[in-house]
């Protein structure tokens, strides 16, 4: 496994700046985000990364498939719009040569990420999960035809209302196993799954379904905006070596992305952030007893 910079960690860097930063720091891979890729231009971004000799470890993100759980015509329109957007994301991942398209599947229908509860929304979490399964039935073959693997990312339960009704690696794996392994895999993101007592067992069960391994720490206490509760490895509560060993023993040989959402890290010098990231990868994430 080798180290990859997820673009969100150095949020201030554009695609060209992030590519140049990877080269300066000797990294071989980068995780890209659709918004920044669109800003620079899809074709230009793909050429830039290829010319730099970098791998695209992932494209973030597809998903938000659960809006179709709303009743009536509103739900049908929302589901169709979600499918269309995700097909575009698959096409973008294919052009970039991304190892996978990360799928943040969506929360309760009608609930918007980070916003107060609306007047009308669905509390049917089981129905929302069925909506995700229905969408995968359409999207997985589409992705497979284009050589793209969908990577289902379970999120910490605090994000279940508004971002992901998949909260455990086991839940994500149950959905993935309904499809060919070339079409659907799972993401192991330490921030989201470190707490799960079944984690090591589920990593072993996942095996070659692991499409991405993402690392950052879980800060305590969390900030008021829990989305920004990710820290540099070693600054929080996660014990990384057992998880990293389990991922390697499961057969994963891909890149290890550092993906951090943190206001202080975003405000810091991005080159210093990447230098610290490299040091912590060696001394915290892959450390041996």
């Amino acid at each position: 496994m080798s180290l990859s910079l997820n673009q969100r960690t150095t949020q201030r860097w554009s695609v060209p700046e992030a590519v140049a930063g990877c080269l300066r720091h000797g990294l071989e891979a980068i995780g890209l985000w659709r918004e920044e890729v669109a800003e620079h231009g899809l074709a230009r971004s793909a050429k830039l990364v290829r010319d730099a000799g970098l791998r695209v470890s992932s494209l973030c993100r597809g998903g938000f498939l659960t809006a179709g759980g709303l009743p009536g015509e509103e739900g049908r329109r929302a589901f169709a719009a979600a499918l269309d957007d995700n097909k575009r994301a698959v096409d973008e991942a294919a052009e970039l040569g991304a190892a996978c398209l990360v799928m943040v599947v969506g929360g309760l229908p009608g609930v918007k990420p980070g916003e107060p509860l609306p007047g009308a929304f669905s509390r049917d979490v089981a129905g929302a999960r069925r909506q995700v399964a229905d969408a995968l039935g359409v999207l997985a073959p589409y992705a497979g035809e284009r050589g793209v693997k969908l990577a289902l990312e379970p999120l910490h339960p605090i994000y279940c209302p508004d971002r992901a009704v998949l909260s455990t690696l086991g839940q994500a794996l149950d959905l993935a196993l309904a499809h060919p392994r070339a079409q659907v895999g799972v993401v192991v993101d330490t921030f989201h799954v470190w707490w799960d007592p079944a984690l090591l067992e589920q990593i072993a069960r996942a095996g070659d379904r692991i499409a991405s391994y993402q690392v950052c720490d879980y800060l305590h206490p969390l900030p008021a905006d829990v989305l920004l509760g990710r820290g540099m490895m070693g600054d929080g509560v996660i014990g990384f070596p057992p998880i990293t060993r389990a991922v390697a023993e499961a057969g994963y040989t891909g890149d290890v992305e550092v993906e951090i959402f943190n206001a202080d890290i975003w405000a810091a010098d991005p080159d210093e952030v990447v230098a610290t990231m490299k040091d912590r990868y060696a001394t915290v994430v892959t450390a041996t007893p």
Side-chain angles (χ1 to χ4, degrees):
M1 295 188 288
S2 64
L3 187 60
S4 173
L5 171 68
N6 184 288
Q7 195 176 3
R8 193 53 82 231
T9 301
T10 52
Q11 188 187 39
R12 288 157 48 193
W13 274 350
S14 64
V15 171
E17 289 170 333
V19 167
C22 286
L23 295 179
R24 274 197 307 279
H25 290 274
L27 302 180
E28 299 178 356
I30 186 169
L32 295 173
W33 278 69
R34 294 179 67 196
E35 294 86 350
E36 283 77 10
V37 167
E39 183 176 342
H40 185 64
L42 177 59
R44 291 175 66 201
S45 297
K47 183 178 187 302
L48 179 67
V49 172
R50 284 196 303 269
D51 290 350
L54 295 176
R55 297 183 297 275
V56 178
S57 51
S58 76
L59 178 64
C60 292
R61 62 189 189 241
F64 290 92
L65 305 168
T66 56
L70 295 171
E73 185 60 27
E74 183 180 3
R76 286 190 288 272
R77 286 197 306 268
F79 189 58
L83 292 178
D84 288 345
D85 182 63
N86 277 274
K87 288 177 180 178
R88 286 192 295 271
V90 167
D91 294 340
E92 293 162 16
E95 183 156 353
L96 291 165
C100 64
L101 173 64
V102 174
M103 302 289 287
V104 176
V105 298
L108 293 173
V111 180
K112 301 288 182 63
E115 296 184 8
L117 289 178
F121 67 96
S122 172
R123 290 182 169 88
D124 184 4
V125 65
R129 291 175 181 139
R130 289 193 296 272
Q131 190 78 38
V132 174
D134 290 345
L136 287 175
V138 177
L139 294 172
Y142 185 90
E145 290 169 0
R146 287 151 183 82
V148 172
K149 180 177 287 189
L150 306 178
L152 303 178
E153 182 172 15
L155 268 57
H156 192 283
I158 56 176
Y159 301 112
C160 187
D162 60 352
R163 284 184 169 87
V165 292
L166 299 181
S167 302
T168 68
L169 185 58
Q171 286 177 318
L173 189 56
D174 287 345
L175 284 183
L177 289 172
H179 305 277
R181 59 175 46 84
Q183 296 179 6
V184 185
V186 295
V187 180
V188 177
D189 183 320
T190 55
F191 177 87
H192 293 302
V193 300
W194 68 274
W195 57 274
D196 184 353
L199 177 59
L200 300 185
E201 174 188 341
Q202 291 301 320
I203 288 173
R205 177 179 170 229
D208 61 5
R209 290 278 179 167
I210 300 174
S212 179
Y213 180 36
Q214 297 181 335
V215 297
C216 70
D217 219 328
Y218 188 101
L219 299 180
H220 182 79
L222 290 172
D225 184 350
V226 295
L227 186 66
L228 304 183
R230 293 167 170 255
M232 186 64 71
M233 299 80 70
D235 289 351
V237 300
I238 298 177
F240 288 92
I243 303 174
T244 300
R245 284 196 300 272
V247 169
E249 289 168 1
Y252 182 74
T253 58
D255 297 301
V256 182
E257 283 188 9
V258 175
E259 183 188 52
I260 302 175
F261 295 67
N262 181 289
D264 292 335
I265 287 175
W266 288 346
D269 182 304
D271 279 296
E272 293 181 5
V273 170
V274 176
T276 301
M277 177 185 97
K278 290 177 62 179
D279 175 71
R280 299 290 181 87
Y281 177 72
T283 59
V284 176
V285 176
T286 61
T288 55

